[in-house]
Structure formats: C-alpha cells, structure tokens
Amino acid sequence: MGILMLSCADDVQNVYSKYRAAFTYNKVTTTAPLYKALTGAGIFCSIYCQGGKIYFNTPYESKYETLTDINMYMKPIAFNGFIVGLSNLPEMGTTDLPLLCYDRVCPNCFEESISPSLTLQENGFAYCNRCKRKYDLNNLGVISEGEKGLKLIRYHIMYDGADHLRIYNP
C-alpha cells in the first residue's frame, strides 16, 4: 500500500508555483484589456514587457504603456509575463468565480526554451506553438488538447475591484 501511495505522489502538481513572481499595477480602470479580463468572466489578458513597454493584450484588443525610470517598478517578474482573468467556472464547492493568474510560458517547454510564450485564443484558451498543447484557462490551466503534461504555472493574484492589481508569489 505504501508503494502505491508513493507512485501516485509523483503525479501531483502544486496549485501555486514554487518560483518568485511580482507585479503591481495601479491603473486598471484605464487599461481596457486588463479591466475587462479582471471583471468579465471568461476573458483573459496577457501582461508582458518588451522593448521598454508593458503590453496588455486579449484576443480582441491591446494597449501598451511606456516604461520610464519612474514606473520601472511595474515591470513584471515572471518567466515570460502573466495571463490573468476571471474564470467562468466556479471554484469547487462554491458559486464564486476565481480570479486566476498564470505564467505566460508553457510549463512543458520552459526548461528547454523560455522564449516561446503562450498565445491567447478566444473562449479562454492559451496555445503553445512549440509543443502544440492547448490549455483551458477557465479550468485552472489544465491541458485540453495535446500530449499529457503539466498544467499552467499559477501565481497568487489580488484585485481590489478598482485600480489596484497585485500578482505575487513569495
């Protein structure tokens, strides 16, 4: 019986990442793609930095903000940015829709290459062009198409319902 329990333990993946993550943003209501993702069930927004700008993208719209020396603290600390949104599926045992945050990198490819990031698709899915896996963002980042593997890397997220967003992992 002990051997059976040990072999099952290898298949367990922690809910939250073991990696450090940090991002604070205080202009949510003026950043339409982000605001819609945090308040509209089933909508997700990617957040990432590139070329001195921070981008906020959904499959439907985009916005960017130029990073200056003063607001450089906003630069996300993650492998390749974040994907955030309000799930359209309630948490088990409740009627509450959870606010979710994932790393924007495929957990099944990132050891080989961090650069290929996940692409947001309509209806709450993210796709990895490298391994061809499709992840269900509404269903805690599990694989919905492709080979078996790890679900998406998840981080803690807090949103005050107004302008303040915080993503963190100790």
Side-chain angles (χ1 to χ4, degrees):
M1 179 106 160
I3 294 173
L4 179 62
M5 289 174 62
L6 287 175
S7 65
C8 291
D10 292 340
D11 296 336
V12 175
Q13 184 179 347
N14 289 332
V15 173
Y16 293 100
S17 175
K18 64 182 178 182
Y19 302 105
R20 184 170 181 264
F23 179 65
T24 301
Y25 191 69
N26 295 317
K27 300 178 189 176
V28 173
T29 56
T30 61
T31 309
L34 181 60
Y35 181 72
K36 289 175 185 175
L38 296 175
T39 59
I43 300 170
F44 289 84
C45 178
S46 62
I47 303 168
Y48 62 96
C49 283
Q50 186 176 10
K53 295 178 181 157
I54 186 164
Y55 290 87
F56 302 91
N57 297 328
T58 70
Y60 316 103
E61 64 185 315
S62 299
K63 183 173 180 176
Y64 72 86
E65 184 173 330
T66 301
L67 290 172
T68 63
D69 289 342
I70 294 170
N71 65 5
M72 197 63 168
Y73 71 91
M74 293 186 319
K75 188 173 180 178
I77 297 172
F79 289 117
N80 207 359
F82 300 104
I83 297 173
V84 300
L86 183 64
S87 176
N88 64 10
L89 297 173
E91 292 206 75
M92 189 178 286
T94 73
T95 57
D96 298 330
L97 298 177
L99 194 56
L100 300 170
C101 177
Y102 307 104
D103 202 295
R104 200 171 142 253
V105 70
C106 177
N108 296 289
C109 295
F110 89 98
E111 288 185 9
E112 297 167 19
S113 176
I114 290 177
S115 57
S117 56
L118 296 169
T119 303
L120 283 180
Q121 296 182 325
E122 293 181 352
N123 302 318
F125 291 95
Y127 182 74
C128 178
N129 285 320
R130 190 168 196 273
C131 68
K132 310 301 182 207
R133 287 180 178 91
K134 188 175 184 178
Y135 297 91
D136 187 344
L137 300 172
N138 285 296
N139 194 12
L140 305 177
V142 299
I143 297 169
S144 62
E145 290 179 19
E147 291 182 39
K148 290 183 180 181
L150 299 171
K151 63 183 178 179
L152 294 179
I153 298 168
R154 190 170 164 194
Y155 300 116
H156 299 274
I157 182 170
M158 291 172 43
Y159 173 55
D160 70 0
D163 269 330
H164 186 72
L165 168 70
R166 180 175 174 233
I167 296 169
Y168 63 98
N169 216 47

